[in-house]
Amino acid sequence: MAEEKVTTMGFMQDNAMMTAIRDTYIAFSERREALGLSNPGTVDNVAREVQKDVFLKNYMFTGLRADLTKPFSISPVFHVSHAFAMGSQEGLPPYTFATLYGTPKIFLQGNVDNEGQFSGRANYRWTDALVTKTNAQISPGPGQAMFQVDNDYTGKDFTASLKALNPSILEGGLTGIYITSYLQSITPSLAVGLEMMWQRAAVNTGPDTAVSYVAKYKGNDWIASAQLQAQGAISTSYWRRLTEKVEVGADLNLQFQPGMGGRGGLMGSGLRKEGTTTLGAKYDFRQSTFRAQVDSTGRLSCLLEKRVLPYVQLSFAGELDQFKQQAKVGLAVSVEAPNEELMVQQENAMSSSAPPPPF
């Protein structure tokens, strides 16, 4: 058996075809290494600088809100918070209790509100490159549960992701939504990728598929991205850093849908074009951050976050819809209550080289 195994290994090593494949792979790897390519991020975050850093989508709120956070440990991270809301037009519950725990390998977060709705996240870092993220939501009403699992593999110059939303085989077949994406750096500035989706709501219905294509170009102080989505939707974004404390962003979304009454009559295929353009800016001051944005639908929004004390932050949000003649405002206060021991732990954690939790 040993001689047979050695003979097989020798054949694999001395075979001309295998040698050519190995040499081609080595040459390709060396060429990629010489290009000095960096990781381009994920397809979901291809426009992160605009959508999540400059724009107000993740920060806007209405009504009154108060967040009280008590950190118990910095390494590992362990926080407990209480959130109170009143007059919110986004449907925020009056009270929410949340807890957070994180180590370099594990991240756990759970929220429960006064109505019994629960949401939780559990992430695990298998290796420096592979991270699994899970998200679950449970509500008292029927049919309100949601489960999602993501797997992200981060290479030196690429990122591959596999996502499943409400996966199930209990009905005698595969149902749910499954999304896989791949983003590859081609040059130090350019990255291209694609995203494929497969979904089926029930076993007795046929599956639906969709493919999207993305591209991202990074300059010295600017980033441009574009995404061609299924069914003809186009999304483009542009981000630029004007100064060390000023960032601006622009986003354009176009949708082309079959319309009625175009060329070809009532049953014709005239396209109905819909689009939205959004412009935004972010200003970082010494103790505050100001964000503002305006879009082509007539909405003007702004958000001011100011730290009045080392552990107290005030936030003011406002939105004015010119076409609908509507106005929204919000005021929030966030308070943290650390002790001196935690402040020492925070200073030590900043000087430590340990990786952060897999958020």
Side-chain angles (χ1 to χ4, degrees), residues 109-175:
Q109 183 181 22
N111 303 328
V112 61
D113 61 28
N114 59 289
E115 298 178 353
Q117 296 181 350
F118 170 81
S119 63
R121 297 169 56 197
N123 303 345
Y124 186 80
R125 178 181 281 119
W126 302 94
T127 65
D128 292 340
L130 179 60
V131 176
T132 297
K133 303 177 180 180
T134 60
N135 187 359
Q137 296 181 8
I138 303 175
S139 299
Q144 299 295 323
M146 188 277 292
F147 177 74
Q148 177 178 327
V149 57
D150 300 0
N151 293 279
D152 296 333
Y153 185 87
T154 305
K156 291 183 178 180
D157 56 5
F158 73 93
T159 300
S161 301
L162 178 62
K163 181 187 302 182
L165 180 63
N166 288 338
S168 176
I169 57 174
L170 300 179
E171 299 181 8
L174 187 63
T175 60

Side-chain angles (χ1 to χ4, degrees), residues 30-50:
E30 291 177 350
R31 186 179 293 268
R32 286 176 59 181
E33 192 74 23
L35 290 175
L37 303 178
S38 59
N39 182 270
T42 62
V43 171
D44 290 340
N45 293 326
V46 70
R48 178 184 59 84
E49 291 79 9
V50 175

Side-chain angles (χ1 to χ4, degrees), residues 9-30:
M9 293 297 297
F11 173 78
M12 295 293 292
Q13 294 176 357
D14 299 336
N15 183 274
M17 181 178 296
M18 296 301 299
T19 302
I21 295 175
R22 184 177 66 252
D23 293 343
T24 302
Y25 176 78
I26 293 175
F28 179 72
S29 299
E30 291 177 350

Side-chain angles (χ1 to χ4, degrees), residues 37 77-78 88 92 94 99 125 162 172 175 178 206 221 249 286 289 296 298 305 314 319 322 348 359:
L37 303 178
V77 178
F78 180 50
S88 173
L92 292 178
T99 182
R125 178 181 281 119
L162 178 62
T175 60
Y178 302 86
D221 56 359
R286 188 171 65 89
T289 299
S296 57
E305 298 174 318
L314 293 178
E319 180 180 288
Q322 300 283 351
N348 295 334
F359 295 111

Side-chain angles (χ1 to χ4, degrees), residues 72-79 100-104 106 342 345 357:
F72 290 92
S73 175
I74 300 298
S75 181
V77 178
F78 180 50
H79 293 178
L100 180 150
Y101 176 83
T103 68
I106 299 175
L342 289 179
Q345 291 184 15

Side-chain angles (χ1 to χ4, degrees), residues 3-327:
E3 293 181 358
E4 183 178 347
K5 186 180 295 185
V6 172
T7 303
T8 304
M9 293 297 297
F11 173 78
M12 295 293 292
Q13 294 176 357
D14 299 336
N15 183 274
M17 181 178 296
M18 296 301 299
T19 302
I21 295 175
R22 184 177 66 252
D23 293 343
T24 302
Y25 176 78
I26 293 175
F28 179 72
S29 299
E30 291 177 350
R31 186 179 293 268
R32 286 176 59 181
E33 192 74 23
L35 290 175
L37 303 178
S38 59
N39 182 270
T42 62
V43 171
D44 290 340
N45 293 326
V46 70
R48 178 184 59 84
E49 291 79 9
V50 175
Q51 298 290 344
K52 298 184 178 181
D53 292 345
V54 175
F55 287 176
L56 280 69
K57 181 179 180 180
N58 297 328
Y59 305 94
M60 196 65 189
F61 66 96
T62 58
L64 300 177
R65 198 181 71 188
D67 299 327
L68 307 178
T69 302
K70 174 62 178 179
F72 290 92
S73 175
I74 300 298
S75 181
V77 178
F78 180 50
H79 293 178
V80 170
S81 65
H82 306 268
F84 304 89
M86 183 174 62
S88 173
Q89 299 185 21
E90 290 82 19
L92 292 178
Y95 172 74
T96 301
F97 173 79
T99 182
L100 180 150
Y101 176 83
T103 68
K105 279 189 171 293
I106 299 175
F107 173 74
L108 301 174
Q109 183 181 22
N111 303 328
V112 61
D113 61 28
N114 59 289
E115 298 178 353
Q117 296 181 350
F118 170 81
S119 63
R121 297 169 56 197
N123 303 345
Y124 186 80
R125 178 181 281 119
W126 302 94
T127 65
D128 292 340
L130 179 60
V131 176
T132 297
K133 303 177 180 180
T134 60
N135 187 359
Q137 296 181 8
I138 303 175
S139 299
Q144 299 295 323
M146 188 277 292
F147 177 74
Q148 177 178 327
V149 57
D150 300 0
N151 293 279
D152 296 333
Y153 185 87
T154 305
K156 291 183 178 180
D157 56 5
F158 73 93
T159 300
S161 301
L162 178 62
K163 181 187 302 182
L165 180 63
N166 288 338
S168 176
I169 57 174
L170 300 179
E171 299 181 8
L174 187 63
T175 60
I177 302 176
Y178 302 86
I179 302 174
T180 180
S181 61
Y182 183 85
L183 190 61
Q184 171 72 58
S185 292
I186 303 299
T187 69
S189 299
L190 177 63
V192 296
L194 57 83
E195 181 179 76
M196 296 178 290
M197 182 192 69
W198 184 96
Q199 66 174 353
R200 184 163 64 173
V203 177
N204 56 1
T205 61
D208 296 326
T209 60
V211 180
S212 302
Y213 304 92
V214 299
K216 181 178 181 180
Y217 191 89
K218 183 177 181 180
N220 293 330
D221 56 359
W222 61 274
I223 298 175
S225 64
Q227 184 170 6
L228 176 60
Q229 302 174 351
Q231 301 177 351
I234 300 176
S235 177
T236 61
S237 66
Y238 178 80
W239 173 88
R240 188 178 186 91
R241 183 182 296 277
L242 299 181
T243 66
E244 183 180 354
K245 297 184 178 182
V246 180
E247 304 173 21
V248 295
D251 184 83
L252 172 64
N253 290 297
L254 295 176
Q255 293 185 357
F256 302 92
Q257 300 176 353
M260 303 292 290
R263 288 186 177 181
L266 182 63
M267 300 301 293
S269 59
L271 289 179
R272 183 179 61 190
K273 308 177 184 66
E274 297 180 354
T276 304
T277 302
T278 306
L279 303 176
K282 174 186 175 184
Y283 299 82
D284 286 322
F285 301 98
R286 188 171 65 89
Q287 295 290 339
S288 60
T289 299
F290 177 75
R291 291 179 173 88
Q293 74 178 46
V294 60
D295 60 33
S296 57
T297 63
R299 289 188 303 178
L300 174 64
S301 307
C302 66
L303 173 71
L304 175 63
E305 298 174 318
K306 182 175 179 58
R307 189 164 294 277
V308 294
L309 292 173
Y311 298 102
V312 178
Q313 176 176 290
L314 293 178
S315 301
F316 173 80
E319 180 180 288
L320 177 63
D321 194 321
Q322 300 283 351
F323 295 159
K324 296 182 180 180
Q325 296 295 312
Q326 295 179 353

